[in-house]
Amino acid sequence: MQAGELAGVLGALGQETRLQIIRILAPLSKGKAPVGLAAGQIAAALGVSPPTLSFHLKDLALRKLVVQKRRGRELIYFANLALILAALGEFVGELEI
Amino acid sequence: MQAGELAGVLGALGQETRLQIIRILAPLSKGKAPVGLAAGQIAAALGVSPPTLSFHLKDLALRKLVVQKRRGRELIYFANLALILAALGEFVGELEI
DNA sequence: TTGACAGTTCAACAGATGTAGAAATCTTGA
DNA sequence: TCAAGATTTCTACATCTGTTGAACTGTCAA
């Protein structure tokens, strides 16, 4: 993890809407066959407008905290749990030493 | 952990200056006899002005991520590692389920 | 090819945030 | 009591952030 990168990850997760996005995607992003969730469904579930959701998804995707996959005309999003857990785990380890 | 509280903790840590405060305090805030660090020394170590440091310490103290103790005319700060690790641990647990 | 759907990008804006200088507060040592 | 030190609070300001409506892009179905 680069210097300054951890603050970026924590900051990205430290915003209510983005944290909710990760929380709703998490259980749908693991196991043998992750299913993910379409952008529109995330927006509906969270009660935010499409542009607002897209703004946050872009931020999360830039930091690779989510990944997207097209399915027809929908864009399916998945949480990158491996990266998130690695970042948090590294930080926890640093604090515990 | 209350709803919305986790985002607050992550957000507080997701700012370079505040994250550095926690990082510099962490090793000085544990063990049998935590020593902590005076506000002025933190400011000097981080290269930020006293008002700026105070602004961030207030934010961290409000969320109980740091605690203070007076020693003469200095205010010694300690990271509340138990709380930070509990919050991160709870979140990690939620993502891993 | 075209109409509708899904999502993003653009433009604009209010409000929040981070910072530093100046002033105020609190504590101690003489 | 008083001067100096340590830190906070006040004030001001530039920048960043989150949100929205409007416009745009890409995809599919008929």
Side-chain angles (χ1 to χ4, degrees), chain B residues 35-39 54 67-78:
Chain B
V35 295
L37 201 60
S54 196
V67 295
Q68 63 175 200
K69 182 182 294 188
R70 183 171 284 281
R71 189 180 65 197
R73 54 181 72 169
E74 294 178 322
L75 280 174
I76 312 298
Y77 280 87
F78 303 80

Side-chain angles (χ1 to χ4, degrees), chain A residues 3-8 10-11 13-16 19 22-23 26-27 30 81 84-85 88-89 91-97, chain B residues 3-8 10-11 13-16 19 22-23 26-27 30 81 84-85 88-89 91-97:
Chain A
E5 205 178 334
L6 174 61
L10 294 173
L13 297 174
Q15 201 280 335
E16 203 53 61
L19 181 59
I22 296 300
R23 280 179 147 161
K30 63 179 119 181
L81 294 179
I84 297 171
L85 292 173
L88 294 177
F91 183 44
V92 165
E94 178 190 331
L95 295 183
E96 281 176 338
I97 288 170
Chain B
E5 205 178 335
L6 175 61
L10 294 174
L13 297 174
Q15 200 281 332
E16 204 53 63
L19 181 59
I22 296 300
R23 281 177 145 161
K30 62 179 119 182
L81 294 179
I84 296 171
L85 292 173
L88 294 177
F91 183 43
V92 166
E94 177 188 331
L95 294 184
E96 281 176 339
I97 289 169

Side-chain angles (χ1 to χ4, degrees), chain A residues 91 95, chain B residues 1 5-14 18-19 21-23 25-26 29 56-68 77-88:
Chain A
F91 183 44
L95 295 183
Chain B
M1 171 98 21
E5 205 178 335
L6 175 61
V9 171
L10 294 174
L13 297 174
R18 286 191 296 266
L19 181 59
I21 291 172
I22 296 300
R23 281 177 145 161
L25 288 180
S29 306
H56 289 298
L57 284 176
K58 187 180 180 180
D59 189 314
L60 291 169
L62 193 69
R63 300 181 204 280
K64 305 190 196 303
L65 302 188
V66 300
V67 295
Q68 63 175 200
Y77 280 87
F78 303 80
N80 185 350
L81 294 179
L83 180 65
I84 296 171
L85 292 173
L88 294 177

Side-chain angles (χ1 to χ4, degrees), chain A residues 1-95:
Chain A
M1 170 101 18
Q2 297 265 42
E5 205 178 334
L6 174 61
V9 171
L10 294 173
L13 297 174
Q15 201 280 335
E16 203 53 61
T17 302
R18 286 191 297 266
L19 181 59
Q20 287 180 348
I21 291 172
I22 296 300
R23 280 179 147 161
I24 204 171
L25 288 180
L28 306 173
S29 306
K30 63 179 119 181
K32 266 194 182 313
V35 293
L37 201 59
Q41 294 178 288
I42 302 173
L46 269 51
V48 302
S49 68
T52 294
L53 182 82
S54 196
F55 170 84
H56 290 298
L57 284 176
K58 186 180 181 180
D59 189 315
L60 291 169
L62 193 69
R63 300 181 202 281
K64 306 191 197 303
L65 302 189
V66 300
V67 295
Q68 63 175 202
K69 182 183 294 188
R70 183 171 283 281
R71 190 180 64 198
R73 54 180 75 169
E74 294 179 322
L75 279 174
I76 312 298
Y77 281 88
F78 303 80
N80 185 350
L81 294 179
L83 181 65
I84 297 171
L85 292 173
L88 294 177
E90 192 177 320
F91 183 44
V92 165
E94 178 190 331
L95 295 183

